[in-house]
Amino acid sequence: MILPYQATAAGAGGLHPLVLVPGAGGNQLEARLTAGYQPSSLICSFYPVLKQKGGWFRLWFDPTVLLSTFTRCFSERMMLHYDKESDDFRNTPGVETRVCNFGSTESLLCLDPSLKGITAYMAPLVNTLEEMGYVDGETLFGAPYDFRYGLAAEGHPCRVGSKYLSDLKALIEKASTDNGRKPVIILSHSLGGLFVLQLLTRSSPSWARQFVKHFIALSAPWAGAVDEMLTFASGNTLGVPLVDPLLVRGEQRSAESNLWLLPNPKLFGRRPLVVTPNANYSAFEIEEFLDGIGYPEGVYPYRTRIKPLVEELDMVEPPPVPITCVIGTGVDTAEVLVFENGFGDDRRPVVVYGDGDGTVNLESLLALETLWSNQSVKVIRLSSISHTSVLTDETSIREIVGEISSVNSYALSEK
C-alpha cells in the first residue's frame, strides 16, 4: 500500500500523536467473580475453569459464547442494572469488570489473542499506521473502555462513562505533552465517536484548540440507528454464528450505551420505524416502543437520562476542531421493522432496507453535516463499505491514512 505521508515527511518527528477510540465491542473486557455472584446454573459457578492471577478472565470476546450453555453465563455477567435510587447503572452483583491496557492499542487489535485472524478489529489499520511511522505508546495510543456504559444528560450521575471521559482527556493531554506539545489527532469508530464528541463539547474551546488538531470519525452513529430497535425487540447476534439472539437480548437491552444509540427524534422525525398491527413507533415514541416490547424498565432511564442527551445534539456549540466523517454508503440498512403479528419472543420482523453502512442509517451518519451547517464538516463517502469493513477494507484504510497524512502534511506547511 502506498502511504501518502512518506512522500512529504521523513520519520515520525513530524507526526501528530494519534489516539484511537474503538466502537462498541471493539476492545477486550475482563471480569472476575466475587462472593456476591449468584450464578443461574452450576456451570456458571465455575466457568471458565482457567483464570488469570486474581481470578480474572476474558469476558469479551470469549469464543465459548457460541455454546448456548455458556451464552447464558456470558449474558448474565455482561448484564447492567439501572438503580433508580442512585440514578446510575452498575454491574451484576458479584461481577467485577476491567478494561486492560488503556493507553495502548493492544486490546484494540483483536478481541481474542488466541484467534487473531478471525477476531481482528483495528489490527489492519494499526499495522498500516505503524508502517507510516507511528509507534504504540509513543505517538500512537489506544483508549479502550467498557462499552456497555454510556453517558447521561447534565445533572445525572454517570460514574463509569464520566471517568472514561476524564481518562481520555488525560491521555490526550499526555500524548500532546510527550510529543512536543503537538495537538492530537483523534480517530474513532462507531460509538467511540459519540464519546469523543461529548468530550469536545463538554470541554472549553481553548482546551480543544490546544490539544486537538483534528477529529476523524469512522461510521459514527451520531443520531442512533433503526438497527438498535431490532436489538431491543429481538436481540442481535452481531454476526456471531450459532448464537440464539434471545439469549443475549436481555444483556443487550440492559446496556446503557444501547439506549444512547436508539434513533434520535430530531433526525428521524415522525416517520414509522417499527410497524405492528396495533401501533406504529417513530423516534418520538421510543418510550412506548420499549414498553410495547416488554422492557418497561428501560423507559425511565431513557426518558430522564438519554432523551435529553440526544436531543441536545443540534443545540450544542460545535467544537472548534476540524471534523472528518468517513462513512460507508450503499449497503442495505434496516429502515423499517414490520412485526406482522406483533411483538413476541418467537417473532422476527420483516425488514425494509434503506441506505447506510449496514448498521447505521445514512441520515445518522450525515447528522453533523445536516445539523451544523455553519461548521466545516468534511464527509468522505465510501461506496459499498460496511460499518465494520471500514476498518479492514484496503480502499477505506487508504482514505483514512490519506486523511491522517494530509493533517500531518498541513501541519508541516504551517511551520
Side-chain angles (χ1 to χ4, degrees), residues 208-227:
R209 292 190 191 98
Q210 179 179 352
F211 289 105
V212 181
K213 181 66 178 176
H214 203 103
F215 174 27
I216 302 173
L218 314 180
S219 308
W222 304 119
V226 175
D227 189 69

Side-chain angles (χ1 to χ4, degrees), residues 153 156 302-313 315:
H156 294 270
Y302 174 81
R303 179 193 303 139
T304 60
R305 296 168 58 87
I306 305 300
K307 189 177 180 181
L309 177 68
V310 300
E311 287 184 340
E312 69 182 21
L313 180 61
M315 296 184 287

Side-chain angles (χ1 to χ4, degrees), residues 370-387:
T370 301
L371 295 174
W372 293 350
S373 57
N374 296 326
Q375 167 83 352
S376 177
V377 178
K378 178 180 178 181
V379 177
I380 298 176
R381 302 188 185 211
L382 303 174
S383 179
S384 302
I385 298 296
S386 74
H387 190 72

Side-chain angles (χ1 to χ4, degrees), residues 230 233-234 274-277 337-343 347-350:
L230 175 60
S234 303
V274 175
V275 176
T276 74
L337 309 176
V338 182
F339 289 85
E340 296 176 327
N341 298 308
F343 298 124
R347 299 169 187 172
R348 302 288 294 182
V350 174

Side-chain angles (χ1 to χ4, degrees), residues 247-266:
L247 291 181
V248 295
R249 184 181 63 179
E251 61 91 2
Q252 290 174 336
R253 286 177 171 181
S254 76
E256 181 182 21
S257 57
N258 281 341
L259 284 174
W260 193 9
L261 293 172
L262 287 164
N264 187 320
K266 293 193 175 181

